[in-house]
Amino acid sequence: MAKKCILILLDGIGDRSYKQFDRQTPLQAARTPNLDRLAGSGATGLFHATELGRALPSENAHFAMFGCDMAEFPGRGTLEALGAGIQLSPSDVAMLAHFVNAKPVSGSLCLVRDKIAASDDEAEALFSAVARYDAGDVSVRLTRTHGLYGILLFKGNVSRFVTDTGALADGSPLIEPQPWIECEDDPAAHRTADALKSYLMWVWKTLTNHPVNERRKTAHQLPLNMIATQRAGQVRQTPMPFKERWGLRGLSIASGIVYHGLAQYIGMDAEKVTDTGDAGRDLAHRLDIARERLADYDFIHVHTKTPDEAAHSKDPLAKLAVIESLDRGIGDAIGPLLADPEVFIIITADHSTPSSGPLVHSGEPVPMLFLGEGVRRDAAERFDEVAVGGGALGCVRGRELMYLVLNHLDRIRLEGIMDTPAGQPYWPGSVKPFTLPE
């Protein structure tokens, strides 16, 4: 009987079909003998973290697939801040921030280039130049996390419900900070939007003639003269810990700070690993770590961001190469896990990421595979978005994934049984023993 679950998360592996692959997706076109062999040994289906067609970022998709209530979602800015070790109070607002090149066009600021290369020394100098600012009673602090990316932290009577300022496409205007329509009567939201606008105007003036940018212009490089912000977050409430919610001790093995922050926020432990540039070898290493941690954890999230990153390059061939590397890594490391009757394995993704076109992510479901003792076997012989469509799992949505985990670990509570006042979804619950009077 399976007692432990390992979730292998191939971030963004779903895609669309392309003429260069004879109208197949990169996953369909890739040579994946190991994933295909596994598909023939278990139950397959599709997964979407919320509703079909909705395009989700990784943090929202993970939050839903881990069975959390989206009303508890704190925003990506908060998760990355926590993952970077930034201390947050419940009233703080954290936003993602990165340096871009912009220019005035007809009285507005227009994004010229969003992603620009810069040296580490240049990045440090630019972050230092605009690290601290006060807008009335609101203090603004910028902390570098990596490269030209950082966290913009607002302290005071502030609100997360303000618009992004970053444009999603080069050549588009940067966006005016505004309160969300639902918060148009909230003074804190207006105060935050005003403070953000004041800070960004100061950034524009400060960086326009900064020595780093003067040197870049002399070298015929685009100056990094503006900051774009997005995905503001705030800790509105403390969510139920993962162990209490699902009765499982959880561990996340991932390289991105957003996943470290997510694990911290929902009450899972985090094993921080690094990417070496060899996607398959990195995944095999993470699976080896997962096998070593099975004694201490019941649910282990093993994550790789590489398919998503390859798709963001808008090169389907690059994504195909990453997928084939990951298949080799799975083949190298999954044997001992398959041989353990106490391990239940899930292979899936959080969302689809198109390798062409303007979208960041898209709303198609992703393939899913269950492996382990007692798992039904269906007729699928390949692991891809189409071959698994008629599989035994059907289309799994959101927190249904965690119910299926409990089900395959023989931990799902029979509906109607109340062994705890809270009606926990897992069995046996944290019961209060029947006591006899002294």
Side-chain angles (χ1 to χ4, degrees):
M1 181 185 78
K3 297 180 180 178
K4 313 277 185 170
C5 175
I6 293 180
L7 170 63
I8 303 174
L9 204 295
L10 310 176
D11 197 307
I13 202 170
D15 211 314
R16 293 174 170 177
S17 62
Y18 301 103
K19 290 181 180 178
Q20 68 199 96
F21 298 145
D22 194 22
R23 299 193 181 280
Q24 293 182 312
T25 69
L27 180 57
Q28 286 179 294
R31 184 178 181 276
T32 54
N34 296 298
L35 284 168
D36 295 342
R37 173 176 56 85
L38 295 173
S41 302
T44 62
L46 295 167
F47 174 76
H48 196 289
T50 55
E51 298 166 314
L52 295 176
R54 293 187 66 182
L56 299 178
S58 291
E59 65 274 17
N60 294 70
H62 274 77
F63 205 74
M65 70 195 309
F66 288 159
C68 300
D69 187 339
M70 289 308 297
E72 302 168 340
F73 185 68
R76 178 154 181 162
T78 294
L79 297 178
E80 290 217 12
L82 291 173
I86 298 172
Q87 296 298 314
L88 298 177
S89 71
S91 61
D92 294 344
V93 169
M95 301 178 187
L96 304 186
H98 68 281
F99 288 92
V100 300
N101 175 257
K103 69 177 182 180
V105 177
S106 301
S108 300
L109 271 183
C110 180
L111 176 67
V112 176
R113 187 76 57 80
D114 185 69
K115 293 179 173 61
I116 305 175
S119 70
D120 192 64
D121 288 342
E122 288 177 322
E124 284 289 349
L126 293 172
F127 271 96
S128 296
V130 292
R132 302 175 67 85
Y133 183 78
D134 292 316
D137 295 332
V138 178
S139 68
V140 185
R141 303 291 181 264
L142 178 65
T143 301
R144 185 186 182 198
T145 54
H146 63 284
L148 292 169
Y149 293 80
I151 300 295
L152 194 61
L153 189 65
F154 291 73
K155 288 183 174 290
N157 187 4
V158 290
S159 168
R160 64 172 285 197
F161 300 112
V162 295
T163 57
D164 299 341
T165 65
L168 288 178
D170 293 350
S172 302
L174 295 176
I175 301 166
E176 182 83 5
Q178 304 169 80
W180 290 13
I181 192 68
E182 301 92 334
C183 302
E184 59 182 352
D185 296 326
D186 181 6
H190 283 276
R191 186 178 301 108
T192 309
D194 291 343
L196 177 56
K197 177 65 177 289
S198 179
Y199 170 73
L200 292 177
M201 288 299 302
W202 174 72
V203 168
W204 170 250
K205 294 175 183 177
T206 301
L207 297 184
T208 296
N209 297 311
H210 189 278
V212 166
N213 285 326
E214 291 297 322
R215 289 193 293 270
R216 288 180 66 88
K217 285 184 280 189
T218 300
H220 304 290
Q221 297 174 315
L222 287 175
L224 294 155
N225 55 8
M226 190 53 174
I227 283 177
T229 63
Q230 60 178 331
R231 304 190 197 184
Q234 193 170 25
V235 181
R236 307 293 294 181
Q237 56 184 315
T238 302
M240 182 185 296
F242 189 83
K243 175 68 166 63
E244 184 179 340
R245 190 188 298 267
W246 298 109
L248 304 172
R249 298 165 296 172
L251 172 68
S252 175
I253 305 173
S255 60
I257 62 173
V258 66
Y259 307 102
H260 305 157
L262 174 62
Q264 179 181 336
Y265 186 71
I266 68 173
M268 295 173 66
D269 290 340
E271 179 92 18
K272 300 178 181 180
V273 291
T274 57
D275 297 319
T276 67
D278 186 329
R281 185 176 64 181
D282 290 344
L283 181 56
H285 176 60
R286 290 167 203 186
L287 290 172
D288 288 341
I289 294 174
R291 182 162 53 90
E292 295 169 358
R293 301 291 188 269
L294 283 171
D296 301 314
Y297 296 96
D298 310 302
F299 178 87
I300 302 179
H301 165 243
V302 179
H303 180 270
T304 173
K305 190 69 171 172
T306 51
D308 182 69
E309 291 172 339
H312 287 314
S313 73
K314 298 304 180 182
D315 180 358
L317 286 170
K319 187 168 184 178
L320 181 148
V322 164
I323 290 170
E324 292 185 344
S325 177
L326 293 175
D327 182 79
R328 291 191 293 270
I330 288 172
D332 289 342
I334 205 166
L337 296 173
L338 290 173
D340 188 340
E342 294 190 350
V343 176
F344 168 52
I345 299 170
I346 301 174
I347 303 176
T348 190
D350 48 353
H351 56 73
S352 289
T353 307
S355 299
S356 181
L359 293 183
V360 178
H361 295 161
S362 59
E364 296 93 339
V366 296
M368 173 174 279
L369 169 62
F370 284 8
L371 297 160
E373 291 290 318
V375 172
R376 297 170 178 172
R377 293 191 178 188
D378 57 35
E381 295 181 350
R382 284 187 55 82
F383 182 79
D384 62 54
E385 302 94 330
V386 177
V388 303
L393 297 176
C395 187
V396 178
R397 310 281 185 88
R399 72 166 57 203
E400 291 175 351
L401 175 62
M402 289 306 304
Y403 289 129
L404 285 167
V405 169
L406 293 180
N407 180 66
H408 283 81
L409 299 182
D410 287 351
R411 296 290 309 279
I412 194 72
R413 178 179 63 90
L414 183 67
E415 291 293 324
I417 298 297
M418 289 297 292
D419 54 351
T420 64
Q424 296 154 324
Y426 53 90
W427 174 91
S430 301
V431 301
K432 180 178 180 180
F434 188 94
T435 58
L436 297 173
E438 295 182 358

